[in-house]
């Protein structure tokens, strides 16, 4: 059963309405898979706390040459994602690093081709958020990226993870938690909000996602 199936199956009992800057070399202080796993855990905690600069610093310490290809791909994604998010929290006049981060995310999508895995969905979500910012949104629409991520999570068999991501994407542009996300709810299909409300677990989420 995937997330889309969960929506329909639950209808009967749901209520009705380091100092890395792209292009700059960084000294590497750690090595090995065990160190990578430790750094990744700490960085993901920082991301959960919206401490993107700290998460970027931790991922920058990873010695990528010791990693498997998929692990390298994940680190590339997180370095780009956390870099631009940190810059969004502390905007600077020079957008060079953010542009390079954007290009890295787009490169990851191109390299994936038709291999639409979990990381592909997360890259799309990051680009959707990035192209919703006033600084980087000019000339780009976030909608294809948001829709790609939402569609992927709707078809995922990992119900718990899919619920978290699907609701997280919808919540981000419906609750106003991120000031740089603007005007997005009006561009999203009503079905997305209805699906989110159906899979929401907490009363607070159900109330927030009632469209």
């Amino acid at each position: 059963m995937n997330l889309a199936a969960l929506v329909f199956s639950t209808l009967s009992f749901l209520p009705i309405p380091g100092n890395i800057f792209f292009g700059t070399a960084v000294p590497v202080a750690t090595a090995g898979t065990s160190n990578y796993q430790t750094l990744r855990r700490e960085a993901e905690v920082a991301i959960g706390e919206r401490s993107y600069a700290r998460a970027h610093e931790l991922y920058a310490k990873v010695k990528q040459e010791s990693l498997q290809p998929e692990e390298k791909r994940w680190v590339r994604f997180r370095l780009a994602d956390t870099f631009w998010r940190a810059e969004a929290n502390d905007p600077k006049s020079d957008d060079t690093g953010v542009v390079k981060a954007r290009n890295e995310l787009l490169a990851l999508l191109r390299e994936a081709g038709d291999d639409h895995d979990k990381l592909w969905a997360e890259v799309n979500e990051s680009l959707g958020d990035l192209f919703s910012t006033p600084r980087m949104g000019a000339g780009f629409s976030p909608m294809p990226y948001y829709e790609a991520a939402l569609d992927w999570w709707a078809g995922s068999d990992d119900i718990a993870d899919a619920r978290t991501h699907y609701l997280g994407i919808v919540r981000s542009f419906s609750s106003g938690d991120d000031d740089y996300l603007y005007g997005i709810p009006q561009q999203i299909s009503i079905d997305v909000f209805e699906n989110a409300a159906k899979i929401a677990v907490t009363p607070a989420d159900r109330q927030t996602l009632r469209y």
Side-chain angles (χ1 to χ4, degrees):
M1 179 184 293
N2 58 33
L3 190 64
L6 179 65
V7 169
F8 294 105
S9 69
T10 56
L11 285 176
S12 61
F13 36 84
L14 282 172
I16 298 176
N19 299 327
I20 182 171
F21 294 91
F22 287 83
T24 301
V26 177
V28 176
T30 59
T33 301
S34 61
N35 283 340
Y36 163 66
Q37 295 298 340
T38 298
L39 288 167
R40 176 170 173 167
R41 281 194 300 270
E42 293 176 3
E44 293 300 315
V45 169
I47 290 169
E49 297 170 347
R50 301 165 70 88
S51 299
Y52 300 116
R54 172 60 177 160
H56 186 85
E57 178 185 342
L58 289 165
Y59 271 116
K61 294 179 180 178
V62 174
K63 188 175 182 180
Q64 295 190 45
E65 57 266 30
S66 68
L67 303 181
Q68 296 299 313
E70 287 309 301
E71 293 172 333
K72 291 180 182 178
R73 189 165 161 251
W74 177 263
V75 172
R76 285 177 60 197
F77 160 62
R78 277 308 197 198
L79 285 172
D81 176 68
T82 55
F83 183 87
W84 85 253
R85 292 185 190 277
E87 291 290 286
N89 287 342
D90 183 22
K92 296 179 176 62
S93 58
D94 184 1
D95 287 338
T96 302
V98 177
V99 170
K100 289 184 178 180
R102 178 199 69 192
N103 291 342
E104 178 75 341
L105 292 170
L106 291 170
L108 285 166
L109 285 189
R110 288 194 301 272
E111 292 167 16
D114 294 329
D115 184 11
H116 296 176
D117 58 4
K118 177 180 176 178
L119 179 57
W120 179 88
E122 298 215 33
V123 171
N124 273 288
E125 179 181 349
S126 181
L127 284 166
D129 287 349
L130 175 59
F131 292 147
S132 298
T133 66
R135 293 175 68 197
M136 299 303 297
F140 294 91
S141 170
M143 298 312 303
Y145 303 100
Y146 278 143
E147 289 167 353
L150 288 166
D151 286 348
W152 194 92
W153 286 114
S156 172
D157 292 327
D158 187 339
I159 299 300
D161 204 22
R163 187 198 307 272
T164 297
H165 279 270
Y166 196 97
L167 292 178
I169 294 169
V170 176
R171 194 185 298 115
S172 71
F173 52 66
S174 63
S175 65
D177 287 343
D178 289 310
D179 292 338
Y180 54 80
L181 297 173
Y182 64 101
I184 301 302
Q186 291 75 24
Q187 304 175 53
I188 297 291
S189 166
I190 186 66
D191 292 341
V192 169
F193 290 96
E194 290 176 347
N195 290 341
K198 290 167 186 173
I199 64 172
V201 175
T202 68
D205 267 346
R206 289 174 181 166
Q207 181 62 36
T208 299
L209 297 169
R210 188 174 297 161
Y211 193 69

